[in-house]
């Protein structure tokens, strides 16, 4: 019988070389939008934590599952958090997908920066992503002034078929 109460410890996963960090930064002009494409592979990808921040203006972050899009070509490198391991994730990230439409909005969040004052939002709830699926993070600048957006995703990849 399966143990449904088995806890996956993110620190154990990190020590095993199965936790990765990916981050990117973009300068957005007034009312501009930037996209981050996440392409999962044949392993279970699990978002452990994320952070989205703005240097000066409010943002809206929307997570979209399975949109129609043209894959990005500019890869954003994911780094293993255990720097003594040489593991490489199958989940890939791109900073420039295009032609994005449709899909299912699975999360929306506002970064409530005040005019000229930065802010951030983060989430340490676990998100288990579908295998072999594209996701897009759409980050919209909500004012007419420029701001610098940074984002970091901490994710794990689990092997096997038990999860």
């Amino acid at each position: 019988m399966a143990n449904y109460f088995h806890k996956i410890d993110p620190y154990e996963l990190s020590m095993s070389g199965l936790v990765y960090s990916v981050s990117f930064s973009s300068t957005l002009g007034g009312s501009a939008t930037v996209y981050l494409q996440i392409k999962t592979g044949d392993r279970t990808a699990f978002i452990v934590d994320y952070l989205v921040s703005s240097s000066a203006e409010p943002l809206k972050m929307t997570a979209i599952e399975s949109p129609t899009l043209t894959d990005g070509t500019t890869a954003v490198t994911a780094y293993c958090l255990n720097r003594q391991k040489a593991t490489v994730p199958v989940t890939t990230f791109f900073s420039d997908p295009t032609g994005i439409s449709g899909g299912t909005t699975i999360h929306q969040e506002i970064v409530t920066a005040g005019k000229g004052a930065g802010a951030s939002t983060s989430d340490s709830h676990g998100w288990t992503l579908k295998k072999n699926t594209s996701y897009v993070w759409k980050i919209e600048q909500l004012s007419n002034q420029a701001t610098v957006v940074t984002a970091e995703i901490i994710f794990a990849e689990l092997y096997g078929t038990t999860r």
Side-chain angles (χ1 to χ4, degrees):
M1 183 166 152
N3 180 356
Y4 293 103
F5 300 101
H6 177 72
K7 181 180 176 186
I8 298 174
D9 185 330
Y11 297 106
E12 273 185 51
L13 290 172
S14 183
M15 294 292 290
S16 298
L18 301 175
V19 179
Y20 307 89
S21 172
V22 64
S23 62
F24 79 102
S25 183
S26 180
T27 300
L28 294 180
S31 302
T33 300
V34 66
Y35 298 94
L36 177 68
Q37 179 186 7
I38 304 169
K39 289 181 68 171
T40 60
D42 61 357
R43 296 181 201 148
T44 297
F46 179 78
I47 295 178
V48 177
D49 192 11
Y50 71 81
L51 172 72
V52 177
S53 63
S54 168
S55 66
E57 299 298 328
L59 305 171
K60 179 179 179 183
M61 190 279 280
T62 305
I64 306 166
E65 182 177 74
S66 299
T68 300
L69 57 80
T70 300
D71 285 341
T73 58
T74 303
V76 181
T77 303
Y79 294 96
C80 181
L81 292 185
N82 183 338
R83 302 306 297 149
Q84 296 180 33
K85 299 282 187 175
T87 57
V88 177
V90 297
T91 301
T92 54
F93 296 80
F94 299 92
S95 64
D96 59 349
T98 58
I100 299 159
S101 66
T104 302
T105 297
I106 59 173
H107 184 74
Q108 287 186 327
E109 196 161 347
I110 301 290
V111 177
T112 56
K115 185 173 174 100
S120 66
T121 185
S122 66
D123 187 350
S124 59
H125 306 298
W127 286 71
T128 303
L129 304 181
K130 292 181 181 178
K131 293 179 181 179
N132 302 306
T133 302
S134 275
Y135 292 83
V136 166
W137 276 22
K138 177 182 179 182
I139 301 174
E140 301 171 82
Q141 209 274 55
L142 297 178
S143 76
N144 61 0
Q145 301 297 313
T147 194
V148 176
V149 174
T150 58
E152 179 181 32
I153 298 173
I154 305 295
F155 70 102
E157 283 190 343
L158 306 178
Y159 295 85
T161 59
T162 59
R163 300 202 194 295

